[in-house]
Amino acid sequence: MNRESPQPTLDSKAFTQLGLFFDKMLLAQDLSSRLTWIENLLHWLNPTKDPGGVKALTFEQYLLTNPKLQDPFESLVLSVLEQTDALSLFTHIGFCREPNFISEAIERLFVKYLPQIRNDKDLSHFTTRILNHYNSSDFIDQLNENSIIKLKKMVFSVQSERVTHLKKHFDIVLLESLTLLSSQIETLGFSSEMRLRSQVGDLYDSAFYQLRALVFKAQEHIEVDPILENDGLDGISSGKTKDRNEEFLKQFQMSVQLCKTETANILKNLENEGVSLNLVFKLETVDHLLERILFISDLLFCEEKVKVQKWSVFIVELLRHIYKTTQFAELIKNNTHLLSRRIVERAGKSGEHYITQTKREYLMMLKSAAGGGFLTVWTTWFKFVTSHLHLAPFFEGLSFWLNYSGSFLTMYLLQFTLATKQPSMTAPALAAKLKEIKSRDQVQVFVDEVAKITRSQFIAAVGNLGAVIPGSLIFCFVIQNIFGHQIISEVYARKIIASLDPLKSLSIFYAIGTGFLLFLSSLISGWFENWFVYRKLPEMLSQSPAVMFLFGSRNSQHISHWLKQNISGVSGCISLGFLLAFVPIMGNFFGLPLDVRHVTLSTGSLTFALYTLPLDSIELAPIVLAILGIIIIGLCNFSISFIFALFVALRARQVHRTWIKQLTQAVWLRFLYRPLDFFFPIKIE
């Protein structure tokens, strides 16, 4: 026996409330009061607060049981649609209002948190108010074409002459909408930023111009076609020009596709020449305008029998777009995607150099990291010297910045390795491999890549720490024998040891923060490299008369090429030095407990402190805790930097999470059965 799904029961209280509603409807004589009545009715029918649909069913039954109210209700809705302007609703709402990204972001914040001026003549204002009242994505999710069709049948129960006139009115509005939308697309498409990156040479060959010309052609067809001379715009829906309408619809679809191809080519050029947020913003706006033109042309030129269905689809999509354009997070997500992908792809290319593939590369990484470790000894010593000068906070931060950045730049130029910079670079490279996985057979390839990254990170850390410890001891020995005194005092040495205690200090918190700074510096380097290329600074430098006069024409070309290849690494070194130097200074300025704990620098500092203390005064427990603190600092530096970089890379590349759980299990199984793969390049026969 088939059981029917239970129907919502009618609510007698709701019947009473509707009676009061319709009494007020009969008193609504002007546009403002009628809009207020409809607004209150929609608030009462709010589906997010009536999941069972009881109120909607009650409303439908109330109209059926009170047929005398049908005509006044239909007349009220018709008068609102006749007296309000829908042009802005079709051409401006659902799109970005401002000409650039920053202005649009500020505008959305204003709209979200400040009350808007009411304009009853504009239907878009009314629609936005309704959606702002619901303020929930649940309402948008519940929207569907069937609900719109059902609502239309409830409001317009008969095909009256007034309803027919309204349809003609909206056909005119749709035609005007095509004109406005195509004008906006043409204006954006012909902006200097887009034309410079377009592959179309002649202006009149541009797809944006062709679309605008097609709109004018469609207007002429509707206004002067002999078939329509007696019928006016009614000919669009009458079927008399069915073949011609189908032809126009196909032309609009083809023209929109050509416009999308042109924007896609501009996007492709951006990936090679650098990304601009404002240009991505314009391209996103053009894509949304093109989608709106497709919907409106479909409404104008479709057959009469499917018009109601087309209108319902259009209204649902329109409301969804309006809701999205009120969301600040949606703006950030849509417009920063390409820039973030550009940044992480650049970081991924840099990260490939940090992944050792062979035993020879593994040993070369050890050698390179040892060079970085020895150089860190000098960085640590200069930090102590600067601290003893007791400079003003700004100048102390400036000296620390010059020290750190100079050290990191020297490492970069000498091709030494600093282990803590690797995770933020190798994570995007790993995300690129994850994007390539299409089948289970490629899982082991990914696990191999994880093992290579892990052992590369391991040997780099061993090289850094294995060099900084003996290097610091030798340096302290030399200074003591030359100058006859220690580099730091015993009091300061004990202070260093205490600051590394993971139980009694905030060293773990500082290490986590430092891991984030390492990740942040990689983002800054990627952004700066993108800005450098987008602004065509390498070309400007190579053609600069001043640079050519100082270095010669040939050398200026070499300088330009070198900067283009290395600006990301140079800016990363400078930004990391700045962050490590000025974050503690800013913490002191605001009275916040902010400091940095970098594993290589902290290891060097601990070695300096241990050399300073006499053997008979050394206590074992604080030393053990300080060494434990160093280990934790290293793990925090590496893991936090890697996790943040991997997360951003996965989001930027839009990697699906389908394989993540399975890949994690595969990596864990490899570690259990062959743990040495993650530390040494062991060749398996």
Side-chain angles (χ1 to χ4, degrees):
M1 181 177 180
N2 295 330
R3 299 182 61 183
E4 296 182 358
S5 58
Q7 297 293 328
T9 57
L10 300 182
D11 189 350
S12 58
K13 182 180 178 181
F15 251 74
T16 305
Q17 292 174 343
L18 282 173
L20 297 175
F21 264 121
F22 279 97
D23 288 342
K24 293 180 180 179
M25 180 194 73
L26 298 175
L27 299 175
Q29 299 300 320
D30 59 353
L31 178 61
S32 179
S33 59
R34 288 170 177 172
L35 284 172
T36 302
W37 185 85
I38 294 175
E39 193 171 346
N40 291 334
L41 177 64
L42 292 175
H43 292 170
W44 183 80
L45 289 170
N46 189 347
T48 60
K49 296 180 180 179
D50 183 31
V54 175
K55 289 184 177 180
L57 181 63
T58 305
F59 177 74
E60 184 179 358
Q61 292 297 322
Y62 189 86
L63 284 178
L64 290 174
T65 54
N66 295 273
K68 293 181 180 180
L69 294 174
Q70 180 65 46
D71 287 342
F73 176 59
E74 180 179 323
S75 177
L76 182 142
V77 175
L78 285 170
S79 65
V80 167
L81 293 175
E82 290 168 349
Q83 296 177 44
T84 53
D85 182 12
L87 190 60
S88 293
L89 181 64
F90 296 158
T91 60
H92 292 94
I93 301 300
F95 305 120
C96 298
R97 305 178 182 180
E98 298 299 320
N100 57 65
F101 175 78
I102 299 298
S103 300
E104 179 66 21
I106 295 172
E107 174 67 19
R108 291 197 185 188
L109 291 175
F110 275 127
V111 170
K112 186 175 181 64
Y113 295 107
L114 293 178
Q116 301 300 300
I117 299 174
R118 178 164 172 158
N119 182 1
D120 290 335
K121 289 291 185 180
D122 194 337
L123 192 58
S124 64
H125 280 248
F126 173 74
T127 308
T128 305
R129 275 205 315 276
I130 296 297
L131 289 179
N132 287 342
H133 173 81
Y134 289 152
N135 195 26
S136 172
S137 60
D138 294 336
F139 170 70
I140 301 298
D141 293 337
Q142 291 180 26
L143 281 174
N144 56 68
E145 294 82 4
N146 292 331
S147 60
I148 301 296
I149 293 173
K150 187 176 181 181
L151 180 62
K152 183 262 179 188
K153 290 179 179 178
M154 289 169 55
V155 177
F156 307 118
S157 57
V158 294
Q159 185 71 16
S160 64
E161 183 179 345
R162 196 174 176 186
V163 173
T164 303
H165 177 75
L166 182 67
K167 290 169 64 178
K168 294 180 182 180
H169 167 71
F170 270 91
D171 279 340
I172 295 173
V173 174
L174 291 175
L175 190 60
E176 293 174 344
S177 299
L178 281 181
T179 304
L180 277 178
L181 291 169
S182 61
S183 297
Q184 293 179 61
I185 291 171
E186 189 178 49
T187 301
L188 291 170
F190 286 167
S191 64
S192 58
E193 283 184 307
M194 292 183 68
R195 279 193 300 107
L196 286 173
R197 290 160 181 84
S198 174
Q199 296 179 353
V200 180
D202 193 344
L203 199 69
Y204 297 107
D205 292 335
S206 170
F208 305 125
Y209 176 82
Q210 298 296 334
L211 177 63
R212 179 90 168 110
L214 179 61
V215 171
F216 283 127
K217 186 178 177 182
Q219 287 177 324
E220 292 175 359
H221 155 66
I222 292 171
E223 292 174 0
V224 303
D225 195 315
I227 298 177
L228 304 179
E229 284 181 355
N230 298 322
D231 298 306
L233 283 164
D234 189 43
I236 297 175
S237 307
S238 65
K240 294 180 180 179
T241 56
K242 178 181 176 182
D243 294 339
R244 191 74 184 275
N245 287 342
E246 289 180 356
E247 180 186 344
F248 268 108
L249 186 56
K250 290 178 181 178
Q251 288 180 9
F252 269 101
Q253 292 171 347
M254 185 180 300
S255 184
V256 167
Q257 187 57 47
L258 289 174
C259 289
K260 288 186 175 183
T261 302
E262 195 163 327
T263 58
N265 290 332
I266 295 173
L267 273 175
K268 188 176 180 180
N269 290 336
L270 283 183
E271 294 181 358
N272 298 325
E273 300 177 6
V275 178
S276 163
L277 272 182
N278 283 337
L279 186 50
V280 173
F281 174 83
K282 288 181 179 180
L283 290 169
E284 288 281 341
T285 303
V286 168
D287 280 344
H288 292 155
L289 291 168
L290 289 171
E291 289 296 329
R292 185 68 57 86
I293 279 187
L294 272 182
F295 273 114
I296 291 179
S297 61
D298 201 13
L299 284 173
L300 262 177
F301 300 111
C302 69
E303 296 183 49
E304 178 64 24
K305 61 183 179 181
V306 296
K307 244 188 199 297
V308 174
Q309 180 70 25
K310 297 286 186 181
W311 266 105
S312 61
V313 173
F314 175 63
I315 291 172
V316 170
E317 289 301 316
L318 181 64
L319 293 176
R320 285 175 178 163
H321 276 123
I322 294 173
Y323 176 76
K324 285 182 178 180
T325 52
T326 61
Q327 304 304 302
F328 184 77
E330 193 75 18
L331 175 71
I332 302 296
K333 176 184 174 182
N334 289 341
N335 289 277
T336 59
H337 164 69
L338 191 62
L339 177 60
S340 61
R341 192 177 75 183
R342 163 79 177 178
I343 290 173
V344 300
E345 282 181 352
R346 177 60 189 173
K349 290 179 181 177
S350 300
E352 292 174 359
H353 300 297
Y354 289 109
I355 303 174
T356 60
Q357 304 289 340
T358 64
K359 186 176 181 180
R360 182 177 178 276
E361 291 179 357
Y362 185 80
L363 295 176
M364 289 295 294
M365 177 66 74
L366 176 63
K367 181 181 177 181
S368 172
F374 280 119
L375 195 56
T376 305
V377 175
W378 293 89
T379 311
T380 308
W381 170 75
F382 193 81
K383 178 186 176 184
F384 288 144
V385 172
T386 305
S387 299
H388 290 158
L389 296 176
H390 301 292
L391 300 173
F394 172 77
F395 292 103
E396 184 177 69
L398 184 62
S399 64
F400 284 166
W401 180 22
L402 294 174
N403 177 30
Y404 293 148
S405 297
S407 175
F408 298 151
L409 281 171
T410 304
M411 289 185 198
Y412 180 78
L413 295 174
L414 295 177
Q415 297 186 348
F416 291 162
T417 300
L418 187 65
T420 49
K421 290 187 68 177
Q422 285 183 236
S424 60
M425 299 295 181
T426 53
L430 186 64
K433 296 293 182 183
L434 187 60
K435 180 73 173 178
E436 296 171 2
I437 294 179
K438 304 295 182 183
S439 65
R440 298 179 186 275
D441 297 336
Q442 295 173 305
V443 170
Q444 290 306 315
V445 177
F446 177 81
V447 175
D448 291 338
E449 195 70 18
V450 173
K452 291 174 184 177
I453 290 174
T454 306
R455 64 175 175 248
S456 301
Q457 184 68 71
F458 168 75
I459 198 61
V462 169
N464 279 170
L465 301 184
V468 75
I469 293 173
S472 298
L473 293 174
I474 294 170
F475 190 86
C476 290
F477 177 79
V478 171
I479 294 295
Q480 184 181 19
N481 282 274
I482 293 176
F483 297 101
H485 61 79
Q486 300 284 3
I487 295 176
I488 57 177
S489 65
E490 291 188 23
V491 175
Y492 194 68
R494 295 187 187 280
K495 183 180 178 181
I496 290 173
I497 295 172
S499 69
L500 298 174
D501 189 330
L503 303 178
K504 298 180 181 179
S505 70
L506 295 174
S507 60
I508 297 178
F509 171 76
Y510 297 150
I512 293 172
T514 304
F516 178 76
L517 296 182
L518 291 163
F519 154 73
L520 188 60
S521 71
S522 70
L523 286 187
I524 293 172
S525 67
W527 173 86
F528 191 80
E529 188 261 354
N530 172 76
W531 178 85
F532 192 79
V533 173
Y534 179 79
R535 298 295 175 185
K536 299 187 181 299
L537 291 183
E539 290 81 359
M540 291 181 184
L541 288 173
S542 65
Q543 299 172 18
S544 168
V547 175
M548 293 174 69
F549 175 77
L550 290 173
F551 301 101
S553 177
R554 186 174 181 181
N555 288 334
S556 65
Q557 294 288 340
H558 289 315
I559 292 171
S560 172
H561 179 73
W562 186 90
L563 283 174
K564 189 173 183 179
Q565 296 297 318
N566 295 278
I567 192 64
S568 176
V570 171
S571 59
C573 294
I574 295 173
S575 62
L576 179 58
F578 177 86
L579 293 171
L580 294 179
F582 276 99
V583 164
I585 300 297
M586 295 301 292
N588 290 334
F589 182 80
F590 289 105
L592 299 174
L594 294 180
D595 207 341
V596 294
R597 290 290 184 272
H598 186 277
V599 61
T600 312
L601 292 170
S602 296
T603 303
S605 298
L606 179 61
T607 307
F608 274 74
L610 291 177
Y611 187 90
T612 301
L613 295 177
L615 289 176
D616 56 356
S617 66
I618 294 179
E619 298 178 13
L620 184 60
I623 304 302
V624 172
L625 287 173
I627 294 173
L628 178 62
I630 292 290
I631 296 172
I632 296 175
I633 288 170
L635 292 174
C636 290
N637 287 170
F638 296 136
S639 60
I640 297 299
S641 176
F642 184 83
I643 289 170
F644 272 104
L646 183 62
F647 175 77
V648 171
L650 292 176
R651 291 290 299 271
R653 291 182 176 273
Q654 297 180 325
V655 176
H656 296 290
R657 300 178 181 178
T658 310
W659 296 99
I660 292 180
K661 183 177 179 181
Q662 182 180 348
L663 292 170
T664 304
Q665 293 174 345
V667 171
W668 179 244
L669 285 173
R670 172 73 71 86
F671 184 78
L672 288 177
Y673 288 100
R674 287 162 51 184
L676 294 180
D677 286 1
F678 293 83
F679 300 99
F680 307 103
I682 299 175
K683 186 176 181 180
I684 304 298
E685 297 296 338

